[in-house]
Amino acid sequence: QQGELNSFLWTIRRDPPAYLFGTIHVPYTRVWDFIPDNSKAAFHASSSVYFELDLTDPYTISGLASCQMLPHGENLQDVLPQELYRRLKRHLDYIKLMLPHWMTPDQRGKGLYADYLFNAIAGNWERKRPVWVMLMVNSLTETDIRSRGVPVLDLYLAQEAERMKKTTGAVERVEEQCHPLNGLNFSQV
């Protein structure tokens, strides 16, 4: 029942009202039916929408990609213990082998190939910082692979906002996202 759904929507009472809505980085199709009508109405009524990052901006995407890389041409093999590196490589080989079996007929029908998908997710993994490799590995599950091609909730809302000709922006810069993660030491990761 819509009336029983928890909202994650905060209203700042002013004229016009302002809203703060908490999102989650999962394919929007997993959560869209559970977002209460009041949250959707607030989104539609708003003339301006600001997101954590501007995921529709190519500079944001390239900035996120470059901040994940190890500095000075280092390689993951240089920074990980040898046995951990070997286990990681074996696991990624397993993922690459399983990927074609995990993909949906709909994904294949859209011309998505397993090798392309693997490279899009894990390409250049040996050059990434350990924290980003950890996050990448956590997203390489059958469930996550089956939902590839469906935008996460943030991106979906950003695309909808642009389609509706709303003013959009971001409240954070890539550096504000990257530096705290890149600042973790190896034992924390």
Side-chain angles (χ1 to χ4, degrees):
Q1 294 288 327
Q2 272 290 332
E4 298 171 11
L5 293 175
N6 193 350
S7 177
F8 302 108
L9 178 74
W10 291 76
T11 303
I12 301 166
R13 297 187 203 295
R14 47 169 262 189
D15 190 25
Y19 304 98
L20 178 65
F21 179 67
T23 59
I24 186 168
H25 300 288
V26 298
Y28 84 93
T29 52
R30 286 194 200 164
V31 294
W32 190 249
D33 291 342
F34 304 103
I35 294 175
D37 290 339
N38 69 335
S39 300
K40 292 175 182 176
F43 175 76
H44 287 286
S46 298
S47 59
S48 300
V49 186
Y50 292 85
F51 298 92
E52 181 181 16
L53 291 173
D54 183 356
L55 297 177
T56 63
D57 180 3
Y59 292 107
T60 299
I61 303 306
S62 67
L64 281 170
S66 67
C67 90
Q68 295 178 17
M69 296 301 157
L70 285 163
H72 317 298
E74 284 181 307
N75 191 303
L76 199 55
Q77 196 168 4
D78 302 331
V79 297
L80 286 184
Q82 191 175 16
E83 181 52 31
L84 181 58
Y85 178 82
R86 272 200 289 260
R87 286 177 48 210
L88 175 62
K89 184 155 178 25
R90 273 196 313 271
H91 181 68
L92 290 173
D93 288 344
Y94 166 77
I95 298 294
K96 194 169 189 175
L97 183 69
M98 294 306 296
L99 212 59
H101 307 286
W102 292 350
M103 291 178 66
T104 66
D106 186 49
Q107 287 171 321
R108 285 191 282 280
K110 291 179 181 169
L112 207 51
Y113 297 100
D115 284 344
Y116 170 80
L117 190 55
F118 182 83
N119 286 330
I121 299 167
N124 217 6
W125 67 270
E126 293 179 276
R127 289 270 305 114
K128 290 185 179 185
R129 294 172 184 262
V131 65
W132 296 100
V133 173
M134 178 192 69
L135 294 170
M136 176 198 75
V137 167
N138 287 340
S139 74
L140 284 169
T141 64
E142 182 174 359
T143 302
D144 283 356
I145 294 301
R146 289 180 168 274
S147 63
R148 286 291 166 148
V150 177
V152 294
L153 182 59
D154 301 51
L155 179 57
Y156 172 75
L157 290 173
Q159 291 168 336
E160 282 296 293
E162 284 190 344
R163 186 183 65 75
M164 299 164 102
K165 307 277 190 256
K166 296 178 182 291
T167 302
T168 61
V171 295
E172 289 187 14
R173 295 183 328 274
V174 169
E175 300 77 29
E176 293 170 308
Q177 292 262 317
C178 285
H179 289 197
L181 285 173
N182 288 348
L184 295 173
N185 67 42
F186 187 75
S187 65
Q188 291 170 310
V189 173

